[in-house]
Amino acid sequence: MVALTAFVVLRQILALRDNQRLLGTVDGQLSQLREYQDRLTHQATHDSLTGAGNRALFEQHTQQLLTDGETFHVALLDLDDFKAVNDRLGHRVGDQLIQETSRRLARTLGGNGLLTRLGGDEFAVVVRSADDLPILLEQLLAAVEQPAELDGATLRTAASLGVTGARPGDDPAELLRRADVAMYAAKGTGGSRWQWFDAGMDMAAADTARLAADLRTALRDDQFFLLFQPIVSLPGGTATGVEALLRWQHPERGLVPPDVFIPVAERIGVISELGAWVFAQACRQSAAWSARYGAAAPTRISVNVSARQLADPGFVDTVADILQTTGADTRRLLIEVTETAVLNADTAVEQLHRLKTLGLRIALDDFGTGHSSLSLLLTCPVDVLKVDKSFVSGDTAGRAGAIIVKNIIGFTTDFGIDAVAEGVETAEQAEHLHGVGYRLAQGYHFGRPMTAEAYEDRYIDQPALARSGGAV
Ligand code: C2E
Ligand code: CA
Ligand code: CA
C-alpha cells in the first residue's frame, strides 16, 4: 500500500515535471511565434530598404489620428534630382542615397513625428501641428541637402517638400494628394524649398487635370497648328529662316499658349506624339515652300524639341521616318533644344549626335537662362546659339544683359557658332546688337509669329515691304 502510494506520488511528480517541461517548450515556442508575428507586422508596416515606416503604416497612423480628432500635418518630401543620380551612378548608389536620406530625416525628426517612405525617393512625415513646424521643415530640408559621401563620391542633392494640415473629413489619400500638389508647386518654382498647400493650388491642379484630359483628344480633333516667326539677318532685316511655334486652338478656352500646355503634355506623356506631329508639319511646310519658291524659300525651319522628347530613345528614328515620308530636305531643318535638356543627360547628347548624322542642324535655345555651362559646347554638336530674350528686351536687359550679350557673341564667333539674338522688340535693340557683332536676330520688331500664308505674303512675295515695314 505504501509502495503503491509512493509510486502514484512519484508518477504525479514526474508528470508534473513533464508538463512543466512541455509548458516551458510551449512557452518558448509561443514567444518565438510572438516574435515571428511581430517581425511580420513590422515587415508589413516598414520599408525593407530604410527601416522607415511604409505606406501602410502611414495610412494606419493618419487614419488613427483622424479618428481621434487630432490636429496634425503631413509633409511630403521628394529628392529633386534622384532620377539623374540613378541614371548616372547606378541603382546601388541610388539605394544608398535613399538610405542616407532616411537616416538623416529620422535623426532630425527624433521623437517629433513618424517617418515613412512611400516608395522611390518619396518620404512622408506625420507631425503634430505646432508653431515651430516651419523650423522643423527647414531642418529636414537642410539635413537632406548636406553633401553625402557615397561610394567614394561626394553627392549633393536637393529636395522639395509640400505640407498640408489635416482637416475634418480628410482621409489619408486626400492628405497625401494635397501634400503632393504642394510638393510639385515647390519643385515648379525651382525646388530645394518647402511649400504650404493652399486652395488656389488645388484649383490650379484641377484646371491642369482638365487641360490634360482635353490634350489627349486635341491631336485627334485637329486643334493644333503652327505659326512661323522670321529669323532675320542684321542690319537689313531680310528673313533667312523661320521658327515653327506650336499653337492650340481649344474649343472653349480659345488659344492656349505653349508655355501652358507643353509642360502638361510632357507630364502626361503625349509630348512625343505631339512633337512628332509638329516635326512632320514643319517638314511638310518646308517641302511645300521649296517646291513653290525654290531658292527664295526660307533657308531654314527651326523646330522646338522638349527635354522629354529628347529623352525618348525612339526620337531619332521617328525623325528619320518623318524626313523620309515627307521628303523634306534635312539641310533646311534645325532642331532647337534647351541647355537643361542636354545638361547631364547622356542620352540626349547622344541623340543630338545622331540627329547631326542625319544632316540636321542643332540650336541651343534660351541660352543663358539655365546653367550655361560652356563645356556643353564641347560635348554637344551645336551650330546655333539663341541668346535668351530676357537679356535682349526682358527683365535682365540693361547693363548686365548687355555684358552677357556681348560676351556670347565673342565666344560664339571663336567657336564658329551662329548666334541669334531673340526677343528684339525695338530698332534701338537691333542697332545695338548689330553694333556688338550680331548678324542674326528674331523678335516682334521684325515680325511676330504668323501663319504660313502671312509669311509668304510678307517675306517671299513682297520682301521689300517686310524690310521697310518693321514690326507688325
Ligand atoms: P521659345 O522657343 O523661346 O520661342 C520663342 C518665344 O518667344 C515664342 O513664344 C515667341 O512668340 C516669343 N517671342 C518672339 N519674339 C518675341 C519678342 O520680341 N518679345 C517677346 N517678349 N517674346 C517674343 P511662344 O510661341 O509662346 O512659345 C513659348 C515657348 O513654348 C517656346 O519658347 C518654346 O520653348 C515652346 N514651344 C513652342 N512651340 C513648341 C513646340 O512645337 N514644341 C515644343 N517642345 N515647345 C514649343
Ligand atoms: Ca525656340
Ligand atoms: Ca528661346
Side-chain angles (χ1 to χ4, degrees):
M1 186 61 198
V2 172
L4 189 65
T5 312
F7 178 72
V8 169
V9 168
L10 190 66
R11 277 224 30 201
Q12 288 215 318
I13 289 173
L14 285 177
L16 207 66
R17 240 214 246 149
D18 267 358
N19 276 352
Q20 251 164 5
R21 202 179 307 131
L22 209 64
L23 269 178
T25 328
V26 169
D27 214 35
Q29 279 172 348
L30 257 183
S31 71
Q32 242 176 24
L33 209 65
R34 226 172 279 129
E35 236 172 67
Y36 184 60
Q37 196 179 19
D38 284 351
R39 240 192 358 252
L40 274 185
T41 316
H42 190 268
Q43 272 171 19
T45 52
H46 287 76
D47 168 50
S48 58
L49 182 66
T50 62
N54 65 7
R55 189 180 285 269
L57 187 64
F58 171 86
E59 284 170 5
Q60 248 175 44
H61 185 66
T62 46
Q63 188 57 63
Q64 190 59 52
L65 292 176
L66 287 166
T67 310
D68 296 346
E70 300 280 358
T71 54
F72 65 99
H73 278 78
V74 170
L76 195 69
L77 179 137
D78 189 278
L79 298 183
D80 288 343
D81 37 18
F82 182 65
K83 198 181 157 327
V85 171
N86 249 345
D87 289 349
R88 251 184 316 142
L89 304 171
H91 288 269
R92 204 169 60 87
V93 177
D95 281 356
Q96 287 173 4
L97 178 62
I98 299 275
Q99 287 169 326
E100 181 60 21
T101 303
S102 179
R103 267 195 296 275
R104 291 176 182 193
L105 289 174
R107 209 181 305 136
T108 312
L109 195 58
N112 291 322
L114 175 75
L115 173 68
T116 58
R117 176 176 173 235
L118 300 179
D121 58 335
E122 201 171 65
F123 293 89
V125 173
V126 185
V127 282
R128 293 296 165 97
S129 307
D131 290 344
D132 58 358
L133 180 63
I135 298 172
L136 177 66
L137 299 180
E138 290 289 349
Q139 287 170 338
L140 290 171
L141 279 181
V144 170
E145 296 186 349
Q146 288 291 318
E149 293 290 332
L150 296 179
D151 222 26
T154 306
L155 218 68
R156 274 171 200 284
T157 178
S160 298
L161 201 151
V163 62
T164 188
R167 304 172 188 163
D170 272 347
D171 59 33
E174 168 61 16
L175 281 164
L176 272 188
R177 187 193 67 78
R178 290 205 303 266
D180 194 58
V181 169
M183 192 268 289
Y184 269 101
K187 266 200 208 299
T189 47
S192 183
R193 52 188 293 266
W194 66 273
Q195 168 84 51
W196 289 110
F197 173 83
D198 70 51
M201 236 182 259
D202 219 14
M203 304 251 295
D207 196 51
T208 309
R210 269 198 298 277
L211 207 63
D214 294 346
L215 253 183
R216 290 184 195 280
T217 53
L219 202 56
R220 192 196 60 206
D221 294 347
D222 215 14
Q223 292 168 3
F224 292 105
F225 63 97
L226 293 183
L227 289 182
F228 300 90
Q229 186 179 30
I231 296 170
V232 305
S233 64
L234 293 176
T238 314
T240 64
V242 290
E243 176 173 4
L245 293 160
L246 182 59
R247 295 291 180 269
W248 179 13
Q249 185 68 47
H250 189 285
E252 287 119 39
R253 288 169 196 252
L255 210 56
V256 186
D259 289 336
V260 172
F261 69 81
I262 296 277
V264 182
E266 288 199 306
R267 212 166 62 230
I268 64 172
V270 300
I271 189 68
S272 294
E273 201 187 336
L274 185 56
W277 182 87
V278 170
F279 190 68
Q281 195 70 4
C283 284
R284 279 192 285 268
Q285 187 62 67
S286 174
W289 273 335
S290 290
R292 185 157 164 205
Y293 297 107
T299 327
R300 285 204 174 84
I301 297 192
S302 295
V303 180
N304 291 285
V305 165
S306 81
R308 265 295 167 82
Q309 266 174 284
L310 212 54
D312 177 355
F315 173 66
V316 180
D317 291 338
T318 310
V319 165
D321 281 353
I322 294 172
L323 284 170
Q324 195 157 39
T325 48
T326 56
D329 180 354
T330 49
R331 287 165 309 176
R332 287 184 179 268
L333 290 156
L334 202 139
I335 298 283
E336 296 197 1
V337 296
T338 60
E339 300 166 79
T340 29
V342 282
L343 199 77
N344 295 330
D346 295 344
T347 331
V349 176
E350 193 193 309
Q351 304 246 54
L352 291 186
H353 283 283
R354 289 181 57 207
L355 288 174
K356 282 294 291 184
T357 55
L358 288 180
L360 293 157
R361 286 168 44 105
I362 312 288
L364 212 50
D365 205 354
D366 302 346
F367 192 79
T369 53
H371 296 267
S372 295
S373 159
L374 290 186
S375 60
L376 267 186
L377 301 179
L378 302 175
T379 52
C380 291
V382 177
D383 303 291
V384 178
L385 212 145
K386 299 189 80 174
V387 182
D388 191 69
K389 53 182 173 289
S390 58
F391 306 118
V392 176
S393 56
D395 300 342
T396 337
R399 223 179 101 72
I403 294 171
I404 293 169
V405 162
K406 204 167 146 191
N407 272 290
I408 294 178
I409 195 69
F411 70 76
T412 48
T413 310
D414 292 345
F415 272 110
I417 295 173
D418 282 342
V420 178
E422 284 189 324
V424 181
E425 295 182 349
T426 66
E428 292 72 48
Q429 287 161 0
E431 224 166 275
H432 172 74
L433 289 161
H434 179 250
V436 296
Y438 283 80
R439 294 296 170 263
L440 293 166
Q442 180 180 358
Y444 296 163
H445 172 63
F446 300 105
R448 289 185 179 257
M450 58 189 94
T451 61
E453 297 72 41
Y455 182 85
E456 290 162 13
D457 215 36
R458 275 192 65 189
Y459 289 88
I460 310 181
D461 297 333
Q462 298 170 295
L465 189 73
R467 275 202 297 280
S468 60
V472 195

PDB file of all heavy atoms in Angstrom, residues 336 365-366 386 388-389 422, ligand 3:
ATOM      1  N   GLU A 336      15.766  72.876 -82.225  1.00  0.00           N
ATOM      2  CA  GLU A 336      16.106  73.737 -81.081  1.00  0.00           C
ATOM      3  C   GLU A 336      15.889  72.976 -79.771  1.00  0.00           C
ATOM      4  O   GLU A 336      14.807  72.478 -79.512  1.00  0.00           O
ATOM      5  CB  GLU A 336      15.236  75.000 -81.079  1.00  0.00           C
ATOM      6  CG  GLU A 336      15.481  75.872 -82.288  1.00  0.00           C
ATOM      7  CD  GLU A 336      14.949  77.293 -82.122  1.00  0.00           C
ATOM      8  OE1 GLU A 336      14.398  77.618 -81.056  1.00  0.00           O
ATOM      9  OE2 GLU A 336      15.092  78.080 -83.078  1.00  0.00           O
ATOM     10  N   ASP A 365      18.762  76.612 -77.373  1.00  0.00           N
ATOM     11  CA  ASP A 365      17.739  77.649 -77.184  1.00  0.00           C
ATOM     12  C   ASP A 365      17.846  78.284 -75.800  1.00  0.00           C
ATOM     13  O   ASP A 365      18.408  77.689 -74.879  1.00  0.00           O
ATOM     14  CB  ASP A 365      16.368  76.973 -77.329  1.00  0.00           C
ATOM     15  CG  ASP A 365      15.290  77.941 -77.758  1.00  0.00           C
ATOM     16  OD1 ASP A 365      15.564  79.140 -77.837  1.00  0.00           O
ATOM     17  OD2 ASP A 365      14.163  77.468 -78.013  1.00  0.00           O
ATOM     18  N   ASP A 366      17.271  79.455 -75.644  1.00  0.00           N
ATOM     19  CA  ASP A 366      17.181  80.155 -74.354  1.00  0.00           C
ATOM     20  C   ASP A 366      18.537  80.208 -73.663  1.00  0.00           C
ATOM     21  O   ASP A 366      18.620  80.066 -72.445  1.00  0.00           O
ATOM     22  CB  ASP A 366      16.183  79.444 -73.416  1.00  0.00           C
ATOM     23  CG  ASP A 366      14.798  79.344 -74.033  1.00  0.00           C
ATOM     24  OD1 ASP A 366      14.560  80.042 -75.021  1.00  0.00           O
ATOM     25  OD2 ASP A 366      13.980  78.570 -73.514  1.00  0.00           O
ATOM     26  N   LYS A 386      20.998  80.463 -79.388  1.00  0.00           N
ATOM     27  CA  LYS A 386      19.976  81.507 -79.330  1.00  0.00           C
ATOM     28  C   LYS A 386      20.020  82.181 -77.965  1.00  0.00           C
ATOM     29  O   LYS A 386      19.748  81.562 -76.940  1.00  0.00           O
ATOM     30  CB  LYS A 386      18.598  80.901 -79.604  1.00  0.00           C
ATOM     31  CG  LYS A 386      18.529  80.266 -80.997  1.00  0.00           C
ATOM     32  CD  LYS A 386      17.133  79.867 -81.375  1.00  0.00           C
ATOM     33  CE  LYS A 386      16.338  81.044 -81.860  1.00  0.00           C
ATOM     34  NZ  LYS A 386      15.005  80.613 -82.366  1.00  0.00           N
ATOM     35  N   ASP A 388      18.910  84.177 -74.997  1.00  0.00           N
ATOM     36  CA  ASP A 388      17.567  84.327 -74.448  1.00  0.00           C
ATOM     37  C   ASP A 388      17.087  85.772 -74.466  1.00  0.00           C
ATOM     38  O   ASP A 388      17.847  86.704 -74.223  1.00  0.00           O
ATOM     39  CB  ASP A 388      17.513  83.792 -73.020  1.00  0.00           C
ATOM     40  CG  ASP A 388      16.078  83.687 -72.545  1.00  0.00           C
ATOM     41  OD1 ASP A 388      15.359  82.826 -73.086  1.00  0.00           O
ATOM     42  OD2 ASP A 388      15.661  84.486 -71.691  1.00  0.00           O
ATOM     43  N   LYS A 389      15.762  85.899 -74.698  1.00  0.00           N
ATOM     44  CA  LYS A 389      15.202  87.249 -74.858  1.00  0.00           C
ATOM     45  C   LYS A 389      15.275  88.079 -73.580  1.00  0.00           C
ATOM     46  O   LYS A 389      15.231  89.299 -73.634  1.00  0.00           O
ATOM     47  CB  LYS A 389      13.776  87.194 -75.393  1.00  0.00           C
ATOM     48  CG  LYS A 389      12.807  86.320 -74.639  1.00  0.00           C
ATOM     49  CD  LYS A 389      11.449  86.358 -75.344  1.00  0.00           C
ATOM     50  CE  LYS A 389      10.469  85.375 -74.744  1.00  0.00           C
ATOM     51  NZ  LYS A 389      10.810  83.961 -75.047  1.00  0.00           N
ATOM     52  N   GLU A 422      17.413  86.715 -79.551  1.00  0.00           N
ATOM     53  CA  GLU A 422      15.953  86.562 -79.512  1.00  0.00           C
ATOM     54  C   GLU A 422      15.305  87.779 -78.863  1.00  0.00           C
ATOM     55  O   GLU A 422      15.938  88.479 -78.084  1.00  0.00           O
ATOM     56  CB  GLU A 422      15.586  85.381 -78.615  1.00  0.00           C
ATOM     57  CG  GLU A 422      15.785  84.023 -79.192  1.00  0.00           C
ATOM     58  CD  GLU A 422      15.160  82.975 -78.276  1.00  0.00           C
ATOM     59  OE1 GLU A 422      15.191  83.119 -77.042  1.00  0.00           O
ATOM     60  OE2 GLU A 422      14.643  82.006 -78.822  1.00  0.00           O
TER      61      GLU A 422
HETATM   62 CA    CA B   3      14.113  80.803 -76.974  1.00  0.00          CA
END
